[in-house]
Amino acid sequence: MNDFLKHYELYLKAVVNANELNKAVVFDALAAAGLTRVTVDFDGEGDSGQINDITAYTGEAPAEFPSTALTLHQAAQNRGDPRTTTVSLHDAIKILCYDYLSQTHGGWENDDGAYGTFEFDVPNRSVHLDIDERFTDTTNSTHDF
């Protein structure tokens, strides 16, 4: 295996580990704030991707995010030790979603891209990802006359 693939594999393992740690931090903060559900819409194509909307709920009613500061773990990009960063709860959810996309659908933002929704179920401490990947298809026909 070449060096790039080896390092990328190690990086993905570090992302998975950071995601597990960050998931617990985020769910603890969501529960403490009395939030029951969070939805996150994303869309990407043409080498660009973004989170479009993050909505919190208490029951079925939309709710505001508290200004809670959280410390998240980050996977080291270049063989360094993992590091941490302090962000708002809103930004922590955004980071966790981007990292879940990297973990499960690397390149989701490239070419025709992908779009979808994350749903954070706070009472069950689970995250559901619904993703649609776009692709270009061609049909070839040949004719001899």
Side-chain angles (χ1 to χ4, degrees):
M1 184 179 331
N2 69 36
D3 259 6
F4 172 79
L5 292 177
K6 179 182 174 185
H7 292 294
Y8 186 67
E9 183 178 306
L10 291 173
Y11 171 71
L12 286 180
K13 286 180 183 180
V15 168
V16 170
N17 184 53
N19 285 347
E20 282 302 310
L21 295 169
N22 293 338
K23 179 183 173 186
V25 170
V26 166
F27 274 107
D28 288 347
L30 291 171
L35 300 172
T36 57
R37 182 170 56 103
V38 174
T39 59
V40 179
D41 297 323
F42 64 91
D43 193 3
E45 65 179 305
D47 300 336
S48 179
Q50 65 280 331
I51 301 287
N52 293 327
D53 189 41
I54 302 176
T55 307
Y57 296 89
T58 300
E60 294 302 314
E64 294 294 319
F65 280 99
S67 59
T68 306
L70 303 178
T71 301
L72 294 186
H73 300 269
Q74 294 179 308
Q77 296 260 351
N78 296 314
R79 300 186 201 178
D81 291 328
R83 45 179 216 193
T84 60
T85 187
T86 302
V87 297
S88 68
L89 176 55
H90 183 273
D91 286 348
I93 291 168
K94 185 184 291 190
I95 290 167
L96 188 56
C97 289
Y98 279 129
D99 287 347
Y100 276 140
L101 286 167
S102 293
Q103 176 183 329
T104 59
H105 294 277
W108 65 275
E109 73 284 10
N110 293 329
D111 301 322
D112 292 340
Y115 63 95
T117 303
F118 285 92
E119 184 165 331
F120 288 66
D121 179 342
V122 179
N124 291 313
R125 296 178 72 90
S126 65
V127 180
H128 176 76
L129 169 59
D130 183 6
I131 185 170
D132 293 287
E133 296 182 78
R134 299 181 193 95
F135 65 94
T136 301
D137 192 11
T138 61
T139 301
N140 175 262
S141 298
T142 62
H143 304 276
D144 291 318
F145 298 100

